[in-house]
Amino acid sequence: MKKVHDERIEWQRLKNFRLAFIIQSAGIIGILLYHLMMDGVMEFTKNPLWMLLLIVAIVLNYQNLKIADELEDKVTNPGPYYRVLIYAAIFGVLTGALAYFFPGDERANAFLVGAIVFICFLIPFTVAYYLLKKRYEKTE
Amino acid sequence: MRNRVRLARVEKDYTQKQLAEKIGITRQTVSLIEKGEYNPSLKLCLNICYALNRKLDDLFWIDEGEKRDEKGS
């Protein structure tokens, strides 16, 4: 029997997924708000649902970046990738140094803070870099 | 959107089910396309044309004036 790849059904299925996603997200937000009111902010952020909500929001925004229309008409060459590494390292070192000299904080944490900031800058910069590079290569 | 799929299918002596099986879609989708209640992708339009041995223009082309009339009604 020939396999049916019906685009109308696939489209409808996507719409159903969207509805399920909306209901699920509303449920998660409802549960989190309940926790926030009952247990306070500290307990609220410990809830794994909060982490799940953050991960979903990050993934969704990265995916949306791919389909976003260019704001500028002119697409410029993003240059070599090591510049991204340097920028992320600068942010990491600066934040690490601030944490190191910040009074009252444990100095051992400074390295950790710097490393986290480095990674947090590196990932979005890398994604943006590859998107720009792809766009530039397409327009060339 | 209006089209001439039903006419071409009847001329070819196919049932909706036969045409659907030939293309690999469901009978309901063929029915909705014929009624103009579902707008198929270009890929599906081409598959319909191949199955019915017709050109894209024969089945799906609508003159600008005709389209305006359709919108108005």
Side-chain angles (χ1 to χ4, degrees):
Chain A
M1 202 177 132
K2 201 174 172 185
K3 204 177 172 189
V4 174
H5 281 291
D6 196 311
E7 60 176 39
R8 183 183 61 87
I9 290 173
E10 280 169 19
W11 188 241
Q12 194 55 50
R13 197 171 287 142
L14 280 176
K15 280 184 183 169
N16 296 346
F17 274 132
R18 185 178 61 181
L19 180 68
F21 176 74
I22 291 168
I23 294 169
Q24 189 176 299
S25 299
I28 290 174
I29 290 167
I31 292 168
L32 285 173
L33 284 176
Y34 176 76
H35 266 270
L36 181 69
M37 283 189 288
M38 300 306 283
D39 308 319
V41 181
M42 290 313 284
E43 285 301 311
F44 156 78
T45 50
K46 278 182 194 163
N47 195 325
L49 282 177
W50 170 243
M51 191 58 79
L52 176 71
L53 197 72
L54 287 182
I55 292 168
V56 169
I58 291 167
V59 170
L60 191 65
N61 282 305
Y62 274 117
Q63 292 301 104
N64 282 342
L65 264 182
K66 286 184 196 167
I67 54 166
D69 198 14
E70 295 108 271
L71 288 173
E72 294 169 20
D73 290 334
K74 201 177 154 210
V75 182
T76 49
N77 187 358
Y81 180 70
Y82 69 81
R83 267 166 49 184
V84 172
L85 276 172
I86 291 170
Y87 291 145
I90 289 170
F91 280 117
V93 169
L94 280 178
T95 325
L98 275 176
Y100 187 80
F101 295 112
F102 196 75
D105 201 9
E106 278 181 53
R107 293 198 162 168
N109 283 345
F111 176 75
L112 193 67
V113 170
I116 290 170
V117 170
F118 171 71
I119 292 166
C120 288
F121 271 94
L122 187 68
I123 295 170
F125 278 14
T126 305
V127 172
Y129 174 84
Y130 280 107
L131 285 174
L132 277 173
K133 200 173 165 76
K134 227 163 109 181
R135 262 177 213 170
Y136 180 72
E137 281 168 0
K138 267 187 200 168
T139 50
E140 240 190 349
Chain B
M1 212 159 69
R2 214 141 47 85
N3 56 65
R4 286 171 287 279
V5 174
R6 182 188 293 272
L7 198 70
R9 176 179 61 77
V10 171
E11 277 176 14
K12 206 84 172 110
D13 217 15
Y14 284 156
T15 61
Q16 285 185 341
K17 196 169 173 10
Q18 283 169 328
L19 179 62
E21 276 170 6
K22 244 175 135 35
I23 306 166
I25 57 174
T26 59
R27 192 199 59 76
Q28 286 86 344
T29 302
V30 173
S31 167
L32 288 170
I33 292 169
E34 286 184 355
K35 283 192 268 183
E37 286 174 21
Y38 174 69
N39 286 333
S41 67
L42 183 58
K43 192 178 158 194
L44 182 51
C45 287
L46 283 171
N47 286 338
I48 294 169
C49 292
Y50 299 145
L52 296 173
N53 283 328
R54 294 296 186 99
K55 290 264 163 58
L56 206 54
D57 273 12
D58 300 337
L59 299 187
F60 295 102
W61 179 257
I62 299 173
D63 282 323
E64 217 175 344
E66 229 179 311
K67 198 178 169 206
R68 233 179 282 133
D69 292 346
E70 198 178 302
K71 263 187 192 170
S73 63

